[in-house]
């Protein structure tokens, strides 16, 4: 068996059938599909069992809820494929995804294939993201020269894809890295695993092909925002520090830029949702964590004017000003869009 497609599942009954169908309809048929029901309280368990009863390639795990890292660990423990492809349960993959990955692996014998992302909202593509690298095979020297500087974030705010989903990874290589991610990490699990993998990789193929379809949900902003995310990102940073990072020449500056960028992103999310009452909590959580110091040390060069102004306010600890500026940018964008 060549591929094990692992899908962690929790409260996605409206999206799960389409996700499963996108795998079953692949042009490449040598795979197993592992559905990990992470204690989902809706009808997802029944959906999993129904599909398993129709297709012998499907394995189902029912477990108590433990989070994404826990679900992926459960899946990889029973995986039998030569390569593992992670897919989130509310997303889709193009029908030739596994065939494309197989051809690349067969031609290059690489340990990992990383595909580009197509962000889809209401059936329309709203964005495309990739690894910010040229397409092609990267071996050890190339990885150290071209990928290490972008592992967390370079001076121009560019980075490789933090997502584990959308990547085909050799199972015997991925397993120890996946099992090594603490189940306590509830935000940024992907980066913890991907970062660890890249430090050991001997070969990776970076593809610009947009095979992974990420579903942008309408309700994500209002439901997902929580100032505790700031401390969850701090947990990710502490997890990353456990790696041997001596080969990354500018690691300390990268983690400072990552810290600054993630706090910027959380602040922007709050501004997008008009969470004015959260400003004080955001400021307190940042200043009373690793982020307070890291933001002061972060240095960027070629970034947008919006980013420069926001980070300037953050460095001055003027979080109300940063929030209001981002909120203003959001409103201007809406007005311009209507015009």
């Amino acid at each position: 068996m060549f591929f094990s497609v692992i899908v962690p599942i929790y409260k996605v009954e409206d999206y799960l059938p389409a996700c499963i169908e996108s795998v079953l309809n692949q042009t490449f048929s040598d795979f197993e599909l592992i559905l990990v029901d992470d204690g989902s309280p809706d009808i997802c368990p029944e959906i999993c069992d129904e599909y398993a009863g129709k297709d012998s390639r499907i394995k189902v795990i029912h477990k108590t809820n433990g989070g994404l890292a826990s679900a992926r660990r459960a899946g990889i423990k029973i995986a039998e494929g030569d390569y593992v492809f992670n897919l989130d349960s509310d997303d889709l993959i193009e029908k030739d995804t596994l065939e494309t990955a197989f051809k690349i692996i067969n031609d290059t014998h690489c340990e990992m294939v990383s595909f580009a992302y197509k962000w889809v909202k209401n059936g329309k593509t709203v964005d495309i993201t990739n690894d910010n690298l040229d397409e092609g095979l990267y071996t050890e020297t190339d990885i150290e020269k071209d990928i290490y500087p972008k592992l967390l974030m370079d001076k121009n705010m560019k980075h490789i894809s933090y997502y584990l989903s959308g990547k085909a990874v050799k199972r015997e290589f991925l397993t120890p890295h996946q099992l090594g991610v603490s189940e306590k990490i509830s935000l940024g699990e992907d980066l913890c695993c991907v970062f660890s993998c890249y430090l050991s990789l001997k070969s990776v193929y970076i593809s610009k092909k947009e095979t992974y379809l990420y579903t942008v949900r309408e309700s994500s902003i209002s439901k997902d925002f929580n100032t505790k995310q700031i401390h969850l990102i701090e947990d990710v940073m502490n997890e990353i520090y456990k790696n041997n990072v001596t080969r990354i020449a500018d690691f300390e500056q990268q983690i400072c830029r990552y810290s600054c960028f993630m706090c910027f992103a959380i602040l922007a999310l709050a501004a997008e949702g008009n969470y004015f009452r959260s400003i004080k909590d955001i400021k307190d959580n940042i200043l009373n964590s690793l982020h307070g110091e890291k933001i002061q040390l972060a240095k960027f060069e070629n970034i947008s004017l919006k980013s420069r102004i926001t980070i300037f306010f953050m460095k001055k600890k003027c979080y109300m000003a940063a929030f209001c500026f981002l909120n203003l940018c959001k409103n201007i964008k809406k007005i311009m869009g209507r015009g």
Side-chain angles (χ1 to χ4, degrees):
M1 185 182 306
F2 202 83
F3 289 109
S4 292
V5 181
I6 299 176
V7 182
I9 297 161
Y10 186 75
K11 293 178 69 173
V12 286
E13 59 184 19
D14 292 337
Y15 302 91
L16 184 56
C19 174
I20 294 173
E21 293 287 349
S22 77
V23 179
L24 298 181
N25 292 332
Q26 289 293 299
T27 55
F28 185 87
S29 60
D30 188 15
F31 67 84
E32 63 177 355
L33 173 58
I34 301 174
L35 304 175
V36 185
D37 161 33
D38 191 32
S40 189
D42 53 10
I43 64 168
C44 284
E46 288 80 4
I47 294 173
C48 292
D49 291 338
E50 181 181 348
Y51 271 99
K54 298 176 182 178
D55 196 312
S56 61
R57 294 174 296 180
I58 297 177
K59 297 177 181 177
V60 178
I61 298 173
H62 295 292
K63 61 184 288 296
T64 56
N65 180 251
L68 181 58
S70 171
R72 284 182 173 159
R73 286 163 67 103
I76 204 167
K77 284 178 181 178
I78 69 164
E80 299 182 50
D82 295 330
Y83 282 74
V84 171
F85 189 96
N86 280 282
L87 171 64
D88 291 342
S89 50
D90 53 352
D91 297 334
L92 311 171
I93 51 175
E94 298 283 10
K95 64 181 181 180
D96 62 343
T97 298
L98 297 185
E99 181 179 4
T100 302
F102 172 77
K103 288 179 179 178
I104 292 171
I105 293 166
N106 193 50
D107 289 343
T108 66
H109 306 288
C110 61
E111 294 171 307
M112 178 194 293
V113 180
S114 182
F115 288 112
Y117 262 57
K118 187 182 292 184
W119 298 64
V120 180
K121 183 176 182 179
N122 299 326
K124 295 182 179 179
T125 300
V126 295
D127 196 11
I128 292 172
T129 57
N130 54 52
D131 287 285
N132 291 297
L133 294 161
D134 292 335
E135 176 154 352
L137 179 66
Y138 291 74
T139 54
E140 285 183 274
T141 303
D142 304 315
I143 292 170
E144 189 164 346
K145 178 172 66 75
D146 298 321
I147 296 181
Y148 280 7
K150 289 184 170 69
L151 265 185
L152 288 176
M153 184 150 300
D154 71 10
K155 61 186 178 182
N156 300 323
M157 211 175 272
K158 301 293 185 182
H159 57 84
I160 62 162
S161 171
Y162 295 154
Y163 299 111
L164 182 59
S165 51
K167 292 176 171 61
V169 190
K170 196 169 187 178
R171 178 170 57 86
E172 64 182 26
F173 172 80
L174 176 62
T175 299
H177 296 285
Q178 182 68 77
L179 297 181
V181 177
S182 171
E183 293 187 14
K184 295 179 181 179
I185 302 295
S186 58
L187 179 67
E189 307 94 340
D190 287 45
L191 175 57
C192 291
C193 185
V194 169
F195 185 89
S196 177
C197 283
Y198 270 112
L199 291 180
S200 303
L201 270 178
K202 289 183 171 56
S203 59
V204 56
Y205 189 93
I206 303 297
S207 173
K208 295 285 191 181
K209 188 174 175 65
E210 303 144 13
T211 67
Y212 195 93
L213 310 181
Y214 180 92
T215 302
V216 180
R217 297 203 217 178
E218 291 281 1
S219 59
S220 60
I221 292 175
S222 61
K223 291 186 177 181
D224 289 349
F225 179 74
N226 190 318
T227 56
K228 290 182 179 178
Q229 291 178 351
I230 294 165
H231 289 293
L232 297 179
I233 295 299
E234 184 180 30
D235 292 340
V236 172
M237 292 164 62
N238 285 325
E239 189 77 7
I240 287 172
Y241 269 119
K242 294 178 182 178
N243 292 278
N244 181 2
V245 296
T246 55
R247 292 170 62 192
I248 305 175
D250 64 341
F251 172 75
E252 282 300 331
Q253 184 54 217
Q254 281 204 52
I255 204 161
C256 288
R257 289 192 289 256
Y258 170 77
S259 170
C260 186
F261 172 79
M262 294 306 294
C263 289
F264 174 10
I266 290 170
L267 194 61
L269 187 63
E272 182 71 23
N274 297 315
Y275 291 98
F276 287 91
R277 293 182 179 179
S278 297
I279 300 171
K280 185 179 184 303
D281 283 345
I282 292 172
K283 180 177 180 178
D284 290 345
N285 286 339
I286 288 175
L287 296 182
N288 294 319
S289 66
L290 279 174
H291 301 300
E293 175 191 357
K294 300 301 182 186
I295 288 171
Q296 296 301 319
L297 296 174
K299 296 178 182 178
F300 296 94
E301 291 187 6
N302 298 319
I303 58 177
S304 70
L305 179 61
K306 175 182 174 181
S307 297
R308 287 202 301 272
I309 292 173
T310 303
I311 293 172
F312 171 80
F313 284 134
M314 291 170 66
K315 285 178 177 288
K316 295 294 183 180
K317 303 179 184 178
C318 299
Y319 284 90
M320 174 64 80
F323 180 96
C324 291
F325 171 70
L326 289 170
N327 193 261
L328 176 63
C329 290
K330 175 200 72 171
N331 291 326
I332 291 174
K333 184 177 180 180
K334 284 184 178 180
I335 293 170
M336 296 295 288
R338 288 172 185 167

